[in-house]
Amino acid sequence: MLERKLIEALHYIKKFKGKTFVIKFGGEILEDENVLDTVAEDLCLLHDIGIKLVVMHGAGTLISSNMRKFGLEPEFVRGERVTDEKTLELVISSLIRVNNKIVGNINKNNPIAIGLGGSVFRVRRKRKELGYVGEVIDVNSKLLSEIIESGYMPVIFPIGIDESGNSFNINADVVAGEVAKALNATKMIILTNVDGVLDRNGRLIKQLDIKSARELIKNEVVTGGMIPKLESGIRALSEGVERVHIVKAGEHAILGELLTKEGSGTMLLR
Ligand SMILES: Nc1ncnc2c1ncn2[C@@H]1O[C@H](COP(=O)(O)OP(=O)(O)O)[C@@H](O)[C@H]1O
Ligand SMILES: [Mg+2]
């Protein structure tokens, strides 16, 4: 049994060597030190076996709790945070805090993580009613590629800058898809706070194609924060990314999903 698992893992390692994966996780990964430690360990191991990694993260829970401290009530439209000026300030400070924490945890294992934010994304305002929410016009893939080819791991928080130098909040799922597309990534893996995409009865959907994913959104089986994940996944797949995985963030969730045949969450494919 153990031998089977090892052989399976070794096959995947051979297959994935030299490929680019984008890994996105929400801020709640920071709430459990054990989970964060094992995520950092997984990232370093995958880096060491020759997988090129780009990490994207959000800070959803921390932003919302910081907003409440200032008497602001979080509000979302189809999973995207309505961002006024004060909220933007809190978004940026929360994201930087989370970024430092993730970079620090990776670098405890191996000092390869490089924290990045606004230098990666050129944006414009998305929709007036969302306030300071940006839509990505351009990803600085040259910068990212140079960092990766030099053996480092970009850890990116989702803030973009417009042509006048204003900062904008961007949904981390949406940007993860943009990064995956810009870097011709093979896979995008989204770690979240649920087992994966759930059907109408709350059961995990193991595999999902683009057409069914669109239907789940249309029929409102998928709502809230899962909408940008699926939409970003659909876009990434349409632009050449081979597989998108949506998985629950837990101890060693990344290795479990990548190096075993069964995986644990939802796999999106064309
Ligand atoms: N069909 C669905 N399957 C799974 N999650 C769903 C579905 N519809 C809505 N959701 C919601 O999407 C949430 C995940 O998005 P979000 O809260 O933004 O997390 P993250 O911080 O990882 O982006 C889940 O916790 C769940 O409440
Ligand atoms: Mg979210």
Side-chain angles (χ1 to χ4, degrees):
M1 196 57 202
L2 177 63
E3 286 85 350
R4 255 311 351 123
K5 286 274 167 227
L6 280 172
I7 290 167
E8 212 173 282
L10 287 167
H11 273 295
Y12 283 115
I13 290 170
K14 205 167 99 184
K15 186 169 152 193
F16 294 153
K17 200 174 152 79
K19 299 282 193 319
T20 301
F21 293 175
V22 173
I23 302 193
K24 185 264 168 174
F25 37 84
E28 55 290 328
I29 210 144
L30 305 180
E31 276 153 37
D32 186 332
E33 284 290 333
N34 285 332
V35 173
L36 181 58
D37 274 348
T38 70
V39 165
E41 193 186 348
D42 287 5
L43 293 171
C44 289
L45 286 169
L46 292 172
H47 172 270
D48 290 346
I49 61 174
I51 298 176
K52 299 170 184 174
L53 295 177
V54 178
V55 176
M56 270 306 317
H57 67 85
T61 10
L62 183 62
I63 296 168
S64 294
S65 73
N66 283 339
M67 284 178 72
R68 291 197 179 94
K69 279 186 200 156
F70 286 88
L72 300 166
E73 194 45 43
E75 190 192 332
F76 296 87
V77 177
R78 297 183 93 239
E80 293 197 270
R81 187 185 302 274
V82 178
T83 308
D84 65 8
E85 214 168 325
K86 180 66 196 166
T87 303
L88 179 67
E89 227 178 84
L90 296 170
V91 167
I92 295 174
S93 57
S94 309
L95 284 170
I96 291 175
R97 210 185 135 94
V98 171
N99 190 271
N100 289 341
K101 182 102 194 198
I102 296 167
V103 167
N105 263 269
I106 296 171
N107 288 352
K108 260 195 322 205
N109 294 277
N110 190 358
I112 49 171
I114 296 191
L116 294 167
S119 45
V120 185
F121 310 108
R122 208 153 56 82
V123 301
R124 62 173 163 243
R125 189 186 291 274
K126 190 169 184 178
R127 284 207 312 273
K128 209 155 185 249
E129 69 267 29
L130 288 173
Y132 290 93
V133 169
E135 176 176 48
V136 178
I137 328 177
D138 187 50
V139 176
N140 193 340
S141 47
K142 183 169 180 285
L143 171 69
L144 294 180
S145 301
E146 284 181 10
I147 292 173
I148 299 166
E149 295 308 326
S150 308
Y152 292 97
M153 189 191 302
V155 177
I156 313 172
F157 60 92
I159 291 293
I161 298 177
D162 76 358
E163 55 181 13
S164 316
N166 303 305
S167 298
F168 285 83
N169 179 20
I170 340 169
N171 179 283
D173 298 314
V174 177
V175 249
E178 295 289 335
V179 170
K181 194 180 94 184
L183 294 177
N184 296 315
T186 304
K187 273 182 194 292
M188 170 162 80
I189 301 138
I190 299 178
L191 301 181
T192 184
N193 53 6
V194 278
D195 289 337
V197 184
L198 308 177
D199 69 12
R200 204 178 281 286
N201 303 311
R203 276 190 301 255
L204 176 70
I205 304 171
K206 296 287 289 177
Q207 232 182 61
L208 197 55
D209 62 19
I210 291 184
K211 188 163 165 277
S212 323
R214 286 211 176 100
E215 270 162 25
L216 289 176
I217 298 174
K218 197 167 141 237
N219 302 336
E220 296 179 3
V221 174
V222 160
T223 58
M226 194 50 74
I227 296 176
K229 294 184 207 314
L230 281 195
E231 286 183 342
S232 162
I234 291 170
R235 255 195 83 142
L237 289 171
S238 321
E239 302 275 350
V241 175
E242 285 174 19
R243 295 278 189 272
V244 175
H245 302 253
I246 301 174
V247 190
K248 189 176 178 91
E251 291 186 21
H252 296 297
I254 304 176
L255 287 189
E257 184 67 20
L258 287 176
L259 303 183
T260 63
K261 199 186 251 159
E262 58 277 11
S264 63
T266 301
M267 184 165 83
L268 269 163
L269 65 176
R270 235 164 277 147

